[in-house]
Amino acid sequence: MTENATNSRETLGFQAEVKQLLQLMIHSLYSNREIFLRELVSNASDACDKLRFEGLHNAALFENDSDMAIRIGYDKTARTLTVSDNGIGMNRDEVINNLGTIAKSGTREFFSRLSGDQQKDAHLIGQFGVGFYSSFIVADRVTVLTRRAGENVGQGVRWESDGGGEFSIEMVEKATRGTEITLHLRDGQDDLLEGHKLRGIIRKYSNHIVQPILMKKEEWKDDKQQLTDEDETVNQASALWARSKNEISDEQYREFYKHVGHDFDDPLAWTHVRVEGRQEYTQLLYIPAHAPFDMWDRQSRHGVKLYVRRVFIMDDAEQLMPLYLRFVRGVVDSSDLPLNVSREILQESKDIEAIRKGCTNKVLALLADLAENDKEKYATFWKEFGKALKEGVGEDFANKDKIAGLLRFASTHADTPEETVSLAGYIGRMKEGQEKIYYVTAETFNAAKNSPHLEVFRKKGIEVLLMSDRVDEWALSYLTEFDGKPLASVAKGGLDLGKLEDEAEKQAQEKRADEFKELTGKIKSSLAERVKEVRVTHRLTDSPACLVADEHDLSGNLARMLKAAGQKAPVSQPILEINPQHPVVLRLKTEEKRFDDWAAVLFDQALLAEGGQLDDPATFVRRINQLMLELGG
Ligand code: ADP
């Protein structure tokens, strides 16, 4: 190789996050050091896939060599390990971007979550994806030689770094396209310079890689093991998803997931189906065991990969999965689509629509199966991805009932937000005469759990679902019933417990409403515009008052959420309900002098109790103090 005189060597600094990642990774992942090979092979395989795809449109890129392969070699004397591929390669700008920065969205946020605790951080870094940088776990110097397919020989790039703060870059000649990565091993890593050791690692982690992974055969000569010139394929080198299920071990499924899912951990579950008939395609879809750090970033990549007859077409083909299943990873391989399919074509393709439908059904069936047969796994799934699945209720009308069956909610039936119930389970526990599924929404689990609206339900032993996810209010606007039972908010409209109350109770309530007519009228005139109506309720047992929304108005919780999100919400006045048995309310009947203060405090505390904010907290505090002094004196 000759130096290119016009492009002398340059030294550049890593992006700050790369430096941090390198430092952390070397220590946190050391016990898992072998994974560096999986990461490099995975990148090499992606690079070959990309070339195969670009080559469909531009055959010149193959430079008369369209047999893709990955080579792994070692040199005991130089103490180096080399991973090379004849894939797409990189030009200078790509090298600087890809091997000098981390171009993922949410990177800064991710790094702010690292704690300094090695074990915890190792786990997080795994979720983040270590990729190329993991070479530095075993190497103290890494050299990358690469040339983008189709560029001329002088456009090779040499990158080198010791994993500190900087890397060097220079233009060099490279005869063959693709990328060659040389690891100069750290002291104590010499066991990696053994053929059988490397073969073992490759078979363990990279057996499923589609391209052949080649190594030089070894032979014994004069009692010494020597490399020959003959190549041998170490891995199975066939598309895993194209094999039949009974030929694939769970271990192989798991390793394949780590490659397609860019994940460090095992998947939670998978479904592998070959669909035949009018449409022919194979799907191998995985549910990860944890949400990626950029799950809530709608730009995040790495979804389902699309292949056409085993040729890689694109990453993250978002048309293959509805948005609410964006956490699914895996491969769809179609036999029907044309090879030159583009994102634009996908958007309008009827074939893709059918595939998406099929994939959605399979994933929902897989989830239903987990929910039924592996409660622990389903609980993990729910914790990680439940919020996304809830979006499906509003997004996927065709599957609304199926999705509703998969939903889980905190409930007054359980003690912690982690213990969740299903709607079917709720229905199974409904009281004799109960016709509705009751729920309360609030900003937090505790606010929901302690909401005054629940008091009568608690007294009567009626279960109420506790909803405190942001998406709940939205999802509930689409989910008005389940299995023929309407869902009803306990904080909306008049309380009608239907057959859960007997005639005597109903009559007593009417009588009380009459007795309190004068008082409710007085409170209404005192509070004026702040309330729509004041009425007596039997909803409360311990609290003196609460607010409810009128049947067709926005709930207080939703109105607050919209406001916090900077959106305009129609202003609707709440209804103040008072508890006719509460001593404070009874006292109000005879109060003259401070009636307005009492009425205002009643309203303000009801607003506070449901998580609302006071317009004028200082006045509230002044009134409370005043009333306390008077009572004390
Ligand atoms: P990831 O693979 O998760 O994107 P990496 O840090 O492993 O992260 O790699 C960063 C990028 O560098 C890759 O996305 C790819 O564009 C490029 N790259 C890495 N290895 C190769 C390779 N062997 N050939 C071509 N490009 C590569």
Side-chain angles (χ1 to χ4, degrees):
M1 238 158 296
T2 53
E3 292 258 334
N4 186 327
T6 54
N7 278 291
S8 57
R9 193 172 143 122
E10 251 187 277
T11 302
L12 298 173
F14 282 124
Q15 181 195 19
E17 283 83 6
V18 176
K19 275 192 256 179
Q20 213 180 337
L21 178 68
L22 282 167
Q23 273 176 9
L24 278 163
M25 193 183 54
I26 293 164
H27 299 290
S28 310
L29 295 182
Y30 187 73
S31 55
N32 238 328
R33 63 180 181 132
E34 291 172 356
I35 56 96
F36 80 91
L37 197 55
R38 171 183 81 196
E39 301 291 315
L40 295 183
V41 168
S42 184
N43 282 345
S45 169
D46 287 346
C48 293
D49 270 347
K50 278 180 204 153
L51 174 61
R52 167 114 9 248
F53 179 63
E54 286 192 24
L56 292 172
H57 307 273
N58 181 5
L61 293 181
F62 288 123
E63 303 176 13
N64 296 322
D65 164 23
S66 60
D67 288 336
M68 252 34 111
I70 299 165
R71 277 165 218 280
I72 296 180
Y74 61 93
D75 181 335
K76 283 193 184 193
T77 323
R79 301 188 58 255
T80 57
L81 207 72
T82 307
V83 179
S84 54
D85 64 70
N86 58 353
I88 192 75
M90 289 177 270
N91 63 27
R92 188 176 183 276
D93 287 346
E94 287 168 331
V95 171
I96 292 175
N97 267 323
N98 293 333
L99 311 184
T101 64
I102 304 173
K104 297 181 193 181
S105 52
T107 300
R108 184 156 304 159
E109 193 262 327
F110 167 79
F111 277 95
S112 68
R113 275 165 45 196
L114 296 175
S115 61
D117 175 323
Q118 276 194 12
Q119 231 167 0
K120 277 193 206 141
D121 288 350
H123 188 72
L124 277 174
I125 287 174
Q127 292 185 15
F128 184 75
V130 287
F132 166 77
Y133 299 110
S134 64
S135 341
F136 288 100
I137 303 175
V138 296
D140 51 18
R141 186 154 56 93
V142 177
T143 313
V144 179
L145 208 55
T146 183
R147 173 165 71 74
R148 203 172 200 291
E151 300 280 357
N152 63 46
V153 174
Q155 294 298 306
V157 183
R158 187 175 186 277
W159 176 104
E160 188 168 84
S161 175
D162 62 5
E166 299 173 331
F167 61 90
S168 70
I169 190 153
E170 65 189 306
M171 298 303 288
V172 294
E173 286 191 358
K174 186 174 186 301
T176 52
R177 65 151 195 268
T179 303
E180 177 183 298
I181 298 176
T182 303
L183 310 187
H184 306 264
L185 296 183
R186 290 178 190 276
D187 283 342
Q189 300 295 328
D190 292 45
D191 60 326
L192 294 170
L193 300 171
E194 299 290 345
H196 73 270
K197 171 88 183 177
L198 291 170
R199 284 179 171 77
I201 300 177
I202 293 165
R203 292 204 184 101
K204 180 166 168 200
Y205 293 117
S206 308
N207 208 19
H208 56 77
I209 292 292
V210 185
Q211 297 80 13
I213 302 173
L214 305 175
M215 283 184 71
K216 291 268 179 260
K217 267 193 171 160
E218 284 140 26
E219 65 179 16
W220 290 92
K221 226 186 199 169
D222 309 328
D223 267 3
K224 265 191 172 163
Q225 203 181 24
Q226 298 196 327
L227 292 175
T228 67
D229 277 341
E230 210 181 320
D231 281 329
E232 112 184 306
T233 302
V234 180
N235 62 330
Q236 200 157 358
S238 73
L240 180 108
W241 63 88
R243 307 215 294 263
S244 85
K245 271 168 138 170
N246 52 21
E247 285 172 28
I248 309 171
S249 69
D250 285 359
E251 203 41 49
Q252 288 172 322
Y253 275 121
R254 290 194 193 104
E255 283 310 328
F256 182 67
Y257 164 73
K258 290 175 188 174
H259 169 60
V260 285
H262 290 253
D263 194 353
F264 204 71
D265 293 331
D266 286 340
L268 198 64
W270 58 85
T271 165
H272 182 192
V273 190
R274 172 189 231 101
V275 179
E276 277 161 357
R278 217 169 57 78
Q279 283 278 326
E280 284 192 18
Y281 62 93
T282 299
Q283 55 190 21
L284 172 50
L285 302 173
Y286 292 90
I287 314 274
H290 56 77
F293 68 97
D294 55 355
M295 164 95 176
W296 307 107
D297 176 356
R298 299 219 157 201
Q299 308 293 317
S300 68
R301 307 180 298 128
H302 294 326
V304 174
K305 291 185 192 228
L306 176 65
Y307 284 74
V308 171
R309 294 182 287 284
R310 318 244 176 109
V311 176
F312 170 77
I313 304 292
M314 67 182 74
D315 266 327
D316 191 19
E318 65 267 13
Q319 289 83 4
L320 294 176
M321 274 288 151
L323 201 55
Y324 72 97
L325 296 179
R326 60 188 172 278
F327 49 84
V328 172
R329 300 286 178 265
V331 169
V332 168
D333 190 342
S334 158
S335 309
D336 309 314
L337 291 170
L339 278 171
N340 61 359
V341 56
S342 64
R343 283 193 195 268
E344 292 67 43
I345 294 176
L346 284 186
Q347 255 151 21
E348 281 148 27
S349 159
K350 286 264 175 291
D351 290 332
I352 283 290
E353 220 177 281
I355 293 178
R356 174 167 53 200
K357 241 176 153 174
C359 289
T360 304
N361 285 338
K362 278 290 171 252
V363 171
L364 293 178
L366 174 64
L367 291 175
D369 181 58
L370 283 185
E372 182 71 26
N373 300 311
D374 197 335
K375 301 237 162 4
E376 206 174 306
K377 273 193 183 164
Y378 193 74
T380 304
F381 160 77
W382 185 256
K383 184 166 118 322
E384 296 292 318
F385 304 112
K387 282 190 199 135
L389 194 68
K390 281 179 186 172
E391 297 169 13
V393 176
E395 217 177 286
D396 187 350
F397 290 102
N399 288 307
K400 191 163 105 176
D401 291 341
K402 268 193 228 169
I403 298 167
L406 292 169
L407 300 182
R408 294 293 179 269
F409 299 101
S411 154
T412 52
H413 197 69
D415 299 323
T416 64
E418 288 76 33
E419 289 171 71
T420 56
V421 302
S422 67
L423 293 172
Y426 180 101
I427 291 176
R429 288 185 295 274
M430 273 165 65
K431 293 271 172 220
E432 173 118 4
Q434 183 178 347
E435 283 151 3
K436 297 177 182 169
I437 299 172
Y438 293 104
Y439 66 85
V440 63
T441 55
E443 235 168 300
T444 62
F445 171 77
N446 279 333
K449 189 177 167 173
N450 298 321
S451 161
H453 299 107
L454 300 183
E455 289 173 8
V456 69
F457 292 89
R458 207 166 274 133
K459 184 174 136 204
K460 287 183 172 287
I462 302 167
E463 182 174 358
V464 179
L465 301 176
L466 307 174
M467 310 208 181
S468 53
D469 276 346
R470 286 186 142 252
V471 57
D472 285 336
E473 288 273 6
W474 179 83
L476 283 164
S477 64
Y478 293 93
L479 190 69
T480 48
E481 63 155 61
F482 180 76
D483 204 11
K485 306 271 188 281
L487 271 80
S489 164
V490 300
K492 255 185 154 184
L495 180 67
D496 175 13
L497 290 173
K499 293 184 195 131
L500 290 166
E501 283 168 330
D502 56 31
E503 271 315 302
E505 280 177 298
K506 282 185 188 154
Q507 276 174 11
Q509 284 159 19
E510 270 167 36
K511 190 158 158 255
R512 257 188 235 124
D514 270 353
E515 284 168 19
F516 279 77
K517 239 196 182 100
E518 201 193 320
L519 179 64
T520 49
K522 250 176 100 181
I523 300 175
K524 167 69 183 138
S525 8
S526 170
L527 293 173
E529 293 305 305
R530 301 177 73 186
V531 292
K532 193 173 202 168
E533 186 189 337
V534 180
R535 67 192 180 203
V536 172
T537 187
H538 55 290
R539 204 187 296 269
L540 303 171
T541 59
D542 303 329
S543 308
C546 70
L547 297 178
V548 296
D550 210 354
E551 196 69 57
H552 300 291
D553 287 346
L554 292 187
S555 75
N557 186 50
L558 182 55
R560 279 189 290 280
M561 265 170 53
L562 290 173
K563 205 172 145 198
Q567 291 182 27
K568 273 209 191 99
V571 188
S572 44
Q573 297 154 300
I575 295 167
L576 179 69
E577 292 192 342
I578 57 171
N579 174 358
Q581 281 161 318
H582 198 279
V584 169
V585 173
L586 290 172
R587 180 158 194 294
L588 211 54
K589 269 190 143 177
T590 55
E591 178 63 41
E592 297 276 340
K593 199 169 92 206
R594 292 228 173 257
F595 188 87
D596 287 341
D597 284 337
W598 280 95
V601 166
L602 214 51
F603 176 87
D604 286 348
Q605 60 159 291
L607 184 59
L608 283 177
E610 66 160 31
Q613 274 186 352
L614 301 181
D615 278 345
D616 182 359
T619 301
F620 173 74
V621 171
R622 188 178 52 70
R623 281 190 181 124
I624 290 278
N625 286 329
Q626 187 69 42
L627 295 174
M628 283 197 302
L629 278 178
E630 282 177 18
L631 291 174

